[in-house]
Amino acid sequence: MDVMYVLIGFSLVVALGFLAAFFWAVRSGQFDDVFTPAIRMLFEHQRTKKKEHRES
Amino acid sequence: MEQALTAVSVCAHCGDPCGPEICDQSGAVFCCAGCRTVYELLHDKDLGEYYRLGARPGLKPGAFSPDSSYTYLDDESVLDRLLDFRSASAARIHLRIPQMHCSSCVWLLENLHAFTDGLAETRVDFPRRTLSVVFDPSRTSLRQLVELLASLGYAPEITLKQLDGKRPDRSMRALYGRVALAGFCFGNVMLLSFPHYLGLEATSDPRYVRYFSYLTILLSLPVVLYSSAEFFRSAIRGWRYRTVTMDVPIALGITILFIRSTYDILALGQAGYMDSLCGLVFFLLLGRLYQRKTYAALSFDNDYQTYFPIAVHVRDGGREVTRSLDQLRAGDRLYIRNGELIPADSVLIRGEALIDYSFVTGESEPVRVRAGERVYAGGRQAGQRLELDVVKEPSQSYLIQLWNAQASPPLADDLTSLANRVSRWFTPGIIGLATATGVAWAFVDIGTAFDAATAVLVIACPCALALATPFTLGTLHRWLGRNGLFLKDPGVIERLADVDHILFDKTGTITVAGSREPEYVGEPLAETERTAIALLASHSTHPLASPLSRLSGDGSKSELSGFREVSGRGIEGVVDGRTIRLGSAAWTGHADEGGRGDLLPSEMRVYVAIDGRPLGWFRYTSTIREGLREIISSLGERYRLGMLSGDTESERARLAPIFGEGVELRFRQSPHDKRDYIEKLTARGAKTLMVGDGLNDAGALSVAQVGIAVTEDDAAFSPASDGIVRANALPRLPSALRLARRSVGVIKVCFGVSLLYNAIGLYFAVQGLLSPVLAAILMPVSSVTVVALSTVAISRMARREGLA
């Protein structure tokens, strides 16, 4: 049953990975504006797709 | 005389009704040449999609003269301070564009690269109304970019404040992080506490139980050290200023919880209260998050810096150079062109000055100034170029000192909050109770003494108490915002609740100038003459001209020639061989303001002359804002009312019956008089609410307990205030005040509920019987009850008041 120590530790590490992903998302500005992207995705990119949208 | 004002059709660009039609080849109709230019430009670039995305997206491009308006953007020192980032091949800038209002705007602004080369990336942040642009300085310049935006009707707001390098607020990111971490740890600690919840610690392997407990300590550490840092910081600050805010008992509770639990786990091998600790911090932070809803598109802290030009023209060694305003010093020689704002108190040296002080006083009549006389900051020159000698730096100017007047020190704010008043006796109360419990137990059993005393502090930690205010006020804040009443922060509601004296500004608040169609008085006009007048008026940007331009009967195909505009006097033009003049009495050859005798209160006139023969005039009367009678009579039942106006007494007769008996109507009030009057009322103990709109109210708005600015248009400039209300939402003011008062009642009920839960917990705690499981149940339950109670109660009340 000693595998419990490892398994619980491992599950925590996985969970921490998701937490880190969330922190990264916040820090890269994905939560700064949660409104405009919802409008932007409805636009048709006729001749405007020469630039790729990219989060700064 | 009848008003033949039938809107013939609507402009294809801005959607306004059009008078004399301007068409393009495809048959689209426009209200003015500016709109046509933008429309054609968009179609030329294949961006007609703009008109299909949103309803009425178009903006009338403002009048700006490309030769001078934005020249300061070529100035290297200004560029250095405006750009976020700059290298030889790329530069980045954030521009605030308050006019953007729909998805079409977003689309057009993000497709700007169709117009010019050298734009690498344009991105809109709609809630903040900002556009961030990355461009190549070798292919285009900031000035070209800004001029392009201005020509499309999206003139960016470039203010002095931006020069100070104000970075966008990132504190929201930190708060998200703190909440996420607390939530993560809360969930995991709860999972690891399951053996204790289910009473399995006796039957399962004690090594696992201990391992789980150690993990909970590890998981709680970041919650205490990172997530709750804000509470500790605020508690320490409060302690230093001898103000016991709600954060003091919270910080105390968190500390005791952590120390006690660590001791329990490490020394005694017991469960501890780590789950309660993490849950507490998580809920409290959720409350903060809820309270932090902001109206990022609105600016509540405007001061003169937002309104003034960023750079001015000064003489430097015989040459005219641009210099940013904050480097302007007394003694500088200043050049002011037609339509420019005077940025500092100065003495007129050369030029014919006709200064429009409506920005500061609300009086629309321009003032004539002679050489050698004083000109005050905030006036706008109408007419030829002036030379001025600066007497005082902008920040020292007479009127600016009024706007800069700070209402109250920020700490006084904290004391008015109900939660902080409660915590003034709550904190000593629980510390006293904990000490008493410890001392009492010391006589019975010294071991239990520590247990019981810390248990009291743990269970009394005012989590639910601290949640009542943010959720009650936060909910109401959202409701009001959705209905056009934007408050700076939820705390304003508490101050709004105990207002007892309401003061209104007149012009722009009670009355709406120029809202009515112009009415003609004088010798009858033929149909062709009306059309000619409309055509002439459509070429002017003067606010009184645009209602006239909709005057025409049919869209005749007359041509206008020889148009000229003399600022402060009037306009002239030739239509079908007849010379038409519109403007002041002197300009049109009427006897000097001859008919003053029959002048209605607050009437403005545009005189007409055709072929040099004075014919008559159009008059504009200001009207009382719709629904205002009802607002005032319903507010009068509960509040003392008053009115402060910069105008003359001429409207007293019209306004007195609306306000009723015994209401003080003060006329001829300078901006300083308004402020002083409110300060005098405050000194007498009145709690004032000032409702105003102009910068002449700025002083009054800032010293009143609550200052609310009325605005016709969210994008327009409004002076610093605690709240901004859309003009069409003004009728909801009585409802808002009623809800504010009731929300304080809701908070009190929530306090009662949470104190009840505390009492139950304390009953067990003083006996030394508080188990971790009981704490783990009681604390979240009390929090959830309070949150549900406050949000549901406020939403029900808001709906009953007819808010949507």
Side-chain angles (χ1 to χ4, degrees):
Chain A
M1 279 293 276
D2 282 350
V3 73
M4 280 273 282
Y5 292 109
V6 182
L7 282 178
I8 290 201
F10 185 70
S11 74
L12 264 181
V13 169
V14 171
L16 277 171
F18 284 103
L19 185 68
F22 180 76
F23 267 77
W24 168 81
V26 170
R27 205 147 285 171
S28 68
Q30 292 185 31
F31 285 81
D32 288 356
D33 176 9
V34 291
F35 185 81
T36 325
I39 305 177
R40 190 179 292 132
M41 66 178 269
L42 298 174
F43 298 153
E44 284 187 49
H45 291 254
Q46 331 132 342
R47 12 174 269 149
T48 64
K49 56 182 167 227
K50 74 175 182 194
K51 61 177 167 112
E52 287 299 319
H53 286 306
R54 168 174 61 85
E55 274 299 336
S56 52
Chain B
M1 170 123 193
E2 263 304 305
Q3 298 149 22
L5 269 167
T6 37
V8 184
S9 46
V10 292
C11 177
H13 174 68
C14 70
D16 277 358
C18 311
E21 293 170 18
I22 306 175
C23 300
D24 72 349
Q25 297 90 334
S26 64
V29 180
F30 302 97
C31 63
C32 58
C35 284
R36 184 178 63 183
T37 313
V38 178
Y39 185 87
E40 285 174 352
L41 191 61
L42 289 181
H43 278 276
D44 189 40
K45 300 287 178 193
D46 225 1
L47 295 172
E49 179 77 8
Y50 179 66
Y51 297 100
R52 286 187 287 277
L53 285 166
R56 286 194 59 168
L59 296 161
K60 269 196 218 293
F64 85 106
S65 45
D67 52 309
S68 77
S69 296
Y70 292 110
T71 43
Y72 62 85
L73 291 176
D74 285 335
D75 191 89
E76 283 296 314
S77 65
V78 171
L79 272 182
D80 267 337
R81 296 167 70 185
L82 272 178
L83 296 174
D84 298 343
F85 166 80
R86 192 178 180 193
S87 73
S89 63
R92 187 193 183 96
I93 188 166
H94 277 85
L95 294 167
R96 223 180 96 76
I97 303 180
Q99 299 92 323
M100 64 170 92
H101 60 281
C102 66
S103 46
S104 280
C105 303
V106 177
W107 183 79
L108 181 66
L109 291 172
E110 296 205 336
N111 282 306
L112 273 186
H113 52 82
F115 295 97
T116 30
D117 265 355
L119 296 183
E121 184 183 288
T122 50
R123 281 185 86 78
V124 171
D125 180 334
F126 190 76
R128 285 176 191 79
R129 308 283 192 274
T130 57
L131 174 71
S132 96
V133 184
V134 178
F135 62 94
D136 182 349
S138 62
R139 286 156 71 195
T140 185
S141 71
L142 180 61
R143 182 177 160 194
Q144 283 168 349
L145 169 71
V146 170
E147 283 175 357
L148 167 67
L149 285 168
S151 70
L152 293 172
Y154 295 96
E157 189 182 279
I158 299 174
T159 66
L160 266 182
K161 269 189 179 165
Q162 262 171 299
L163 282 187
D164 303 338
K166 227 180 118 205
R167 292 276 157 261
D169 184 18
R170 295 269 184 254
S171 58
M172 215 47 196
R173 289 186 181 182
L175 189 55
Y176 278 127
R178 289 177 208 277
V179 175
L181 186 76
F184 169 81
C185 294
F186 177 44
N188 280 289
V189 169
M190 281 223 292
L191 275 177
L192 293 168
S193 305
F194 257 94
H196 296 292
Y197 293 160
L198 305 173
L200 298 177
E201 66 262 53
T203 52
S204 47
D205 188 335
R207 282 183 311 155
Y208 292 137
V209 178
R210 216 173 312 132
Y211 171 60
F212 287 177
S213 303
Y214 293 162
L215 274 181
T216 62
I217 299 183
L218 217 59
L219 282 166
S220 306
L221 266 176
V223 174
V224 175
L225 296 180
Y226 177 68
S227 292
S228 40
E230 215 174 307
F231 302 113
F232 287 112
R233 223 172 288 141
S234 141
I236 291 167
R237 197 172 45 230
W239 199 253
R240 208 173 282 155
Y241 291 105
R242 297 275 167 273
T243 54
V244 184
T245 60
M246 203 47 130
D247 287 335
V248 173
I250 290 173
L252 189 69
I254 293 171
T255 316
I256 296 292
L257 260 170
F258 187 71
I259 293 173
R260 163 83 191 265
S261 306
T262 314
Y263 173 79
D264 278 2
I265 293 167
L266 293 181
L268 309 176
Q270 288 175 350
Y273 303 86
M274 290 305 188
D275 49 347
S276 304
L277 167 66
C278 295
L280 173 94
V281 174
F282 178 59
F283 283 124
L284 286 172
L285 288 174
L286 273 187
R288 294 264 152 120
L289 196 63
Y290 198 71
Q291 203 176 10
R292 279 290 287 281
K293 160 97 187 168
T294 53
Y295 300 104
L298 300 173
S299 170
F300 294 95
D301 306 310
N302 285 328
D303 61 10
Y304 74 96
Q305 291 194 326
T306 354
Y307 194 81
F308 273 23
I310 193 166
V312 285
H313 302 281
V314 293
R315 190 166 71 186
D316 189 11
R319 268 181 336 117
E320 191 179 323
V321 295
T322 33
R323 187 175 295 172
S324 63
L325 188 57
D326 50 358
Q327 281 165 10
L328 190 67
R329 297 285 171 265
D332 283 346
R333 175 66 59 91
L334 200 62
Y335 297 101
I336 297 291
R337 293 189 173 80
N338 179 26
E340 285 184 345
L341 207 68
I342 289 146
D345 289 2
S346 324
V347 168
L348 180 65
I349 300 298
R350 192 173 302 148
E352 195 180 307
L354 198 62
I355 312 290
D356 169 14
Y357 281 115
S358 60
F359 168 60
V360 276
T361 60
E363 282 281 0
S364 48
E365 206 94 343
V367 180
R368 200 168 287 283
V369 181
R370 281 183 202 87
E373 285 181 336
R374 195 60 92 83
V375 189
Y376 294 99
R380 201 179 275 286
Q381 159 69 348
Q384 49 172 262
R385 193 176 86 146
L386 302 181
E387 283 183 35
L388 303 166
D389 265 354
V390 177
V391 176
K392 281 181 181 162
E393 285 171 30
S395 61
Q396 300 297 313
S397 291
Y398 170 70
L399 286 158
I400 285 159
Q401 290 194 322
L402 170 82
W403 307 329
N404 285 346
Q406 272 301 316
S408 49
L411 260 176
D413 213 311
D414 282 355
L415 292 174
T416 55
S417 145
L418 194 60
N420 289 334
R421 280 209 304 269
V422 168
S423 83
R424 281 225 314 270
W425 57 260
F426 183 84
T427 314
I430 56 159
I431 295 176
L433 188 63
T435 320
T437 312
V439 169
W441 272 103
F443 291 109
V444 186
D445 172 11
I446 196 80
T448 323
F450 170 73
D451 272 11
T454 48
V456 166
L457 289 177
V458 163
I459 202 69
C461 186
C463 178
L465 212 56
L467 288 174
T469 313
F471 276 94
T472 309
L473 300 185
T475 312
L476 186 53
H477 188 233
R478 277 154 205 260
W479 272 102
L480 295 178
R482 241 181 290 163
N483 286 277
L485 275 137
F486 308 99
L487 300 178
K488 190 157 120 190
D489 57 67
V492 175
I493 297 172
E494 268 187 288
R495 278 185 279 147
L496 203 55
D498 53 44
V499 156
D500 53 26
H501 207 124
I502 304 179
L503 294 152
F504 292 91
D505 167 48
K506 186 180 72 68
T507 318
T509 306
I510 292 176
T511 59
V512 199
S515 63
R516 199 192 276 175
E517 260 74 60
E519 189 185 350
Y520 179 74
V521 181
E523 291 176 37
L525 293 175
E527 199 55 53
T528 52
E529 287 168 337
R530 295 181 79 89
T531 314
I533 288 168
L535 184 62
L536 175 63
S538 70
H539 280 74
S540 172
T541 51
H542 195 279
L544 288 181
S546 79
L548 284 179
S549 67
R550 277 174 260 146
L551 207 69
S552 71
D554 59 348
S556 81
K557 300 289 174 274
S558 308
E559 284 289 327
L560 177 83
S561 60
F563 175 77
R564 70 189 180 110
E565 182 155 12
V566 181
S567 279
R569 311 200 63 187
I571 49 177
E572 184 187 60
V574 181
V575 182
D576 298 335
R578 307 183 71 185
T579 309
I580 297 168
R581 276 189 172 199
L582 293 171
S584 66
W587 175 248
T588 50
H590 283 78
D592 196 27
E593 305 288 309
R596 274 287 179 194
D598 62 334
L599 205 61
L600 282 175
S602 79
E603 176 180 295
M604 280 183 288
R605 290 180 176 187
V606 172
Y607 289 86
V608 185
I610 295 182
D611 292 333
R613 201 166 70 86
L615 291 176
W617 60 83
F618 290 94
R619 66 177 182 204
Y620 301 78
T621 46
S622 70
T623 50
I624 307 248
R625 199 180 278 285
E626 213 178 314
L628 212 102
R629 281 163 220 274
E630 292 76 20
I631 303 175
I632 286 174
S633 70
S634 91
L635 287 176
E637 290 165 15
R638 192 189 161 91
Y639 297 98
R640 284 202 56 181
L641 301 178
M643 195 204 70
L644 304 172
S645 169
D647 281 356
T648 56
E649 304 247 352
S650 56
E651 281 199 88
R652 183 182 284 280
R654 197 149 74 107
L655 291 168
I658 298 175
F659 278 95
E661 292 278 304
V663 173
E664 197 162 356
L665 306 178
R666 297 173 80 91
F667 291 91
R668 297 179 195 282
Q669 300 283 298
S670 75
H672 286 266
D673 292 340
K674 291 186 181 186
R675 189 189 66 186
D676 294 346
Y677 179 67
I678 290 187
E679 275 180 338
K680 221 162 58 203
L681 287 178
T682 311
R684 266 192 256 140
K687 307 243 166 66
T688 48
L689 163 64
M690 173 77 199
V691 186
D693 70 322
L695 257 145
N696 54 331
D697 302 319
L701 289 172
S702 75
V703 295
Q705 167 151 317
V706 182
I708 291 184
V710 181
T711 171
E712 301 284 344
D713 171 11
D714 294 356
F717 175 87
S718 62
S721 58
D722 299 304
I724 295 173
V725 55
R726 264 191 216 136
N728 60 10
L730 207 55
R732 303 208 183 95
L733 190 65
S735 292
L737 285 165
R738 204 156 36 232
L739 284 169
R741 290 199 305 273
R742 289 200 191 140
S743 69
V744 174
V746 171
I747 295 178
K748 284 181 182 156
V749 171
C750 290
F751 279 0
V753 171
S754 98
L755 287 175
L756 191 73
Y757 277 112
N758 265 348
I760 297 170
L762 285 172
Y763 171 77
F764 292 104
V766 292
Q767 299 178 65
L769 295 174
L770 184 76
S771 68
V773 175
L774 184 65
I777 295 169
L778 206 57
M779 293 176 87
V781 166
S782 66
S783 303
V784 169
T785 318
V786 164
V787 169
L789 192 66
S790 55
T791 45
V792 170
I794 291 294
S795 300
R796 277 194 53 151
M797 282 176 188
R799 255 184 228 115
R800 216 178 303 150
E801 287 287 346
L803 303 190

